[in-house]
């Protein structure tokens, strides 16, 4: 049964059927409306390094194991699950779950902790139509970015870092849209694209442009958060 039926495709289809049935039950409306979700990783220890993914990471101790990275809807629906190495950074896989999910959940806003955060994640979520709202442990260490002089914002000046610019974004805009369209259509996973861009010996211009766009989106998010 396991060899014949328990595959990534069949497991994903079965999970979709369960989530859809659960989503349409009247009672689950008491928990949420299905428009928000969150993702986080959980470490599971292994008996030994039998799998290439069962590796050791000092963050989780010195026993080999795997990370199960799960996307949860606000109705307590685990609508996407990925198995990662403990050495993997969670941020590249955050968008993957949002794009890959085929359930009836109308996800519009997504949350992660600091481990799932990246400025490029802000870029892809903005372009693909999701609101990204990470819970940043080091919020006070993050810098805001403005287009004009920080002197124009005396109350915020201690929080402002480098000036924001759209020059690289404008120059790389066609490639940004091409990359986002490839992710949306499933031609390439966002995690693969992000890791390829970060693997260049010198920072890639497209990666820098996505970083610039993400810093602007993160600044808007931080300002909204400060207003509360």
């Amino acid at each position: 049964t396991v060899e014949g039926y328990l595959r990534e495709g069949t497991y994903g289809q079965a999970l979709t059927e369960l989530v859809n049935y659960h989503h349409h039950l009247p009672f689950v409306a008491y928990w949420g409306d299905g428009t928000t979700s969150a993702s986080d990783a959980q470490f599971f220890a292994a008996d030994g390094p039998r799998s290439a993914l069962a590796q050791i990471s000092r963050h989780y101790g010195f026993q080999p194991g795997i990370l199960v990275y799960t996307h949860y809807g606000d109705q307590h629906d685990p609508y996407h699950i990925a198995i990662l190495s403990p050495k993997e950074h969670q941020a590249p896989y955050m968008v993957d779950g949002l794009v890959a999910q085929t359930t009836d959940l109308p996800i519009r806003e997504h949350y992660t902790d600091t481990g799932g955060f990246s400025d490029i994640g802000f870029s892809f979520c903005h372009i693909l139509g999701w609101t990204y709202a990470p819970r940043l442990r080091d919020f006070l260490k993050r810098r805001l970015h403005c287009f004009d002089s920080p002197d124009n914002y005396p109350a915020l000046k201690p929080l402002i870092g480098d000036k924001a610019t759209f020059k690289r974004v404008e120059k790389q805009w066609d490639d940004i849209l091409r990359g986002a369209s490839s992710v949306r259509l499933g031609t390439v996973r966002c995690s693969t694209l992000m890791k390829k861009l970060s693997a260049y010996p010198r920072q890639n211009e497209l990666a820098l442009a996505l970083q610039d766009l993400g810093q602007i989106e993160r600044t808007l998010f931080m300002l909204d958060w400060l207003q509360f």
Side-chain angles (χ1 to χ4, degrees):
T1 302
V2 171
E3 292 179 355
Y5 297 100
L6 190 55
R7 304 186 301 274
E8 183 178 0
T10 54
Y11 180 86
Q13 184 178 357
L15 184 63
T16 296
E17 294 292 333
L18 287 172
V19 171
N20 286 345
Y21 181 81
H22 184 258
H23 171 59
H24 292 291
L25 293 174
F27 183 81
V28 300
Y30 287 102
W31 296 329
D33 58 4
T35 60
T36 64
S37 67
S39 57
D40 199 6
Q42 188 175 5
F43 177 80
F44 289 89
D47 291 336
R50 299 176 183 177
S51 166
L53 290 176
Q55 298 178 356
I56 295 174
S57 172
R58 288 187 301 172
H59 182 70
Y60 300 101
F62 292 94
Q63 184 176 357
I66 60 171
L67 286 182
V68 178
Y69 190 58
T70 309
H71 285 60
Y72 291 94
D74 58 15
Q75 296 176 334
H76 301 286
D77 301 297
Y79 63 82
H80 183 265
I81 299 173
I83 307 300
L84 311 179
S85 164
K87 296 182 179 180
E88 290 270 20
H89 197 281
Q90 300 171 27
Y93 297 90
M94 182 269 295
V95 179
D96 282 356
L98 293 170
V99 173
Q101 77 103 357
T102 56
T103 69
D104 295 337
L105 296 175
I107 304 296
R108 293 197 293 267
E109 187 171 23
H110 188 72
Y111 316 115
T112 67
D113 60 9
T114 306
F117 158 78
S118 71
D119 282 336
I120 295 181
F122 264 106
S123 297
F124 277 108
C125 283
H126 170 69
I127 296 171
L128 296 173
W130 292 291
T131 298
Y132 182 37
R135 300 303 186 247
L136 301 176
R137 180 180 61 250
D138 53 351
F139 187 95
L140 293 179
K141 296 180 181 179
R142 302 284 174 181
R143 300 295 90 184
L144 302 175
H145 302 270
C146 60
F147 291 103
D148 49 3
S149 173
D151 293 331
N152 295 331
Y153 312 96
L156 295 174
K157 189 173 181 179
L159 301 176
I160 296 176
D162 298 333
K163 290 183 67 174
T165 176
F166 261 123
K167 291 181 180 179
R168 274 192 296 251
V169 176
E170 292 174 346
K171 186 178 179 180
Q172 299 292 326
W173 185 243
D174 288 343
D175 284 338
I176 290 174
L177 292 182
R178 188 176 295 111
S181 298
S182 298
V183 169
R184 169 62 83 180
L185 294 173
T187 307
V188 63
R189 293 185 178 183
C190 187
S191 57
T192 302
L193 181 59
M194 288 175 65
K195 286 189 286 187
K196 287 288 185 181
L197 291 174
S198 63
Y200 281 86
R202 295 183 179 179
Q203 280 195 293
N204 182 271
E205 281 293 313
L206 177 57
L208 291 173
L210 287 168
Q211 195 82 18
D212 290 340
L213 181 59
Q215 288 176 349
I216 295 168
E217 288 299 316
R218 175 171 53 78
T219 296
L220 295 174
F221 161 71
M222 292 176 67
L223 291 174
D224 285 340
W225 190 89
L226 288 170
Q227 283 184 327
F228 288 102

